[in-house]
Amino acid sequence: MKRRGFTLIELVVSLAVVGILISAIGSSIVIATRSLPTSGGLVETQASTGRALLLIGEDIRLATTVTITGGRQLDLTLPDRTGDAASEAIIYSWSGVNGDPLVRSFNGIDNELVTSLGDFDVSSAVRSSFDADGRTSKPSDRIRVEITTGDVEPVFVTGEFRLLNTRAP
């Protein structure tokens, strides 16, 4: 007697094995996707905060005028970058409210650099010097910038940048 097909038991067993294999493959895919970094995670926050600090440093080095307002705002004037023969106005600002973004305004156009800040502090670095009367402090040619994110795992970056075209305010 010749068999032309599968028995019902063979079909049920093979479907059960295929179902177990599909479940195993599906769970491994779910586990792999959960291990990927999420949007707004710690790594992304560290990267955006570092990029913001680098951009601020580049602008400070090229600035011809610098004004620090309350430690929360940095106004810079830079030589022409856009080819319109006019100086560029760049403002870095933070409202002072935890969770608000660090904003960079380039000639009036705003761009969020870091989405959720815990602190943004800008100050003129002070250097100590000695004279005949003792120790005195004088403004240096450096600007100190500190950025802290307001996330669950805060990121803290700081930089001190030298003014190449002007003196500290």
Side-chain angles (χ1 to χ4, degrees):
M1 175 160 123
K2 282 190 160 189
R3 274 177 62 176
R4 291 193 164 251
F6 299 105
T7 65
L8 183 59
I9 294 175
E10 291 172 332
L11 282 174
V12 169
V13 169
S14 65
L15 284 175
V17 169
V18 167
I20 291 170
L21 286 174
I22 288 175
S23 297
I25 291 171
S27 6
S28 66
I29 289 173
V30 167
I31 290 170
T33 55
R34 286 185 184 168
S35 69
L36 294 173
T38 59
S39 176
L42 179 62
V43 173
E44 186 176 317
T45 302
Q46 288 172 334
S48 68
T49 308
R51 282 191 303 268
L53 189 65
L54 289 174
L55 185 59
I56 293 169
E58 177 184 320
D59 288 341
I60 288 173
R61 285 185 200 101
L62 298 175
T64 55
T65 64
V66 176
T67 306
I68 299 171
T69 308
R72 304 281 184 241
Q73 181 171 320
L74 177 64
D75 298 348
L76 306 169
T77 304
L78 277 72
D80 181 28
R81 285 182 161 178
T82 57
D84 60 359
S87 297
E88 313 300 348
I90 299 177
I91 300 171
Y92 291 94
S93 61
W94 178 57
S95 68
V97 176
N98 194 7
D100 280 359
L102 173 62
V103 177
R104 178 183 190 252
S105 176
F106 182 82
N107 291 335
I109 300 170
D110 292 346
N111 183 24
E112 288 185 6
L113 294 179
V114 183
T115 55
S116 176
L117 278 192
D119 192 21
F120 176 65
D121 186 40
V122 182
S123 59
S124 173
V126 176
R127 63 185 163 125
S128 296
S129 61
F130 294 94
D131 57 12
D133 297 332
R135 187 175 187 166
T136 61
S137 296
K138 297 179 182 177
S140 72
D141 59 350
R142 297 179 184 272
I143 299 290
R144 183 174 179 81
V145 178
E146 297 175 358
I147 303 172
T148 306
T149 61
D151 297 344
V152 177
E153 296 182 54
V155 175
F156 176 77
V157 295
T158 184
E160 196 169 289
F161 304 101
R162 186 166 182 221
L163 297 164
L164 300 178
N165 297 324
T166 188
R167 301 276 313 158

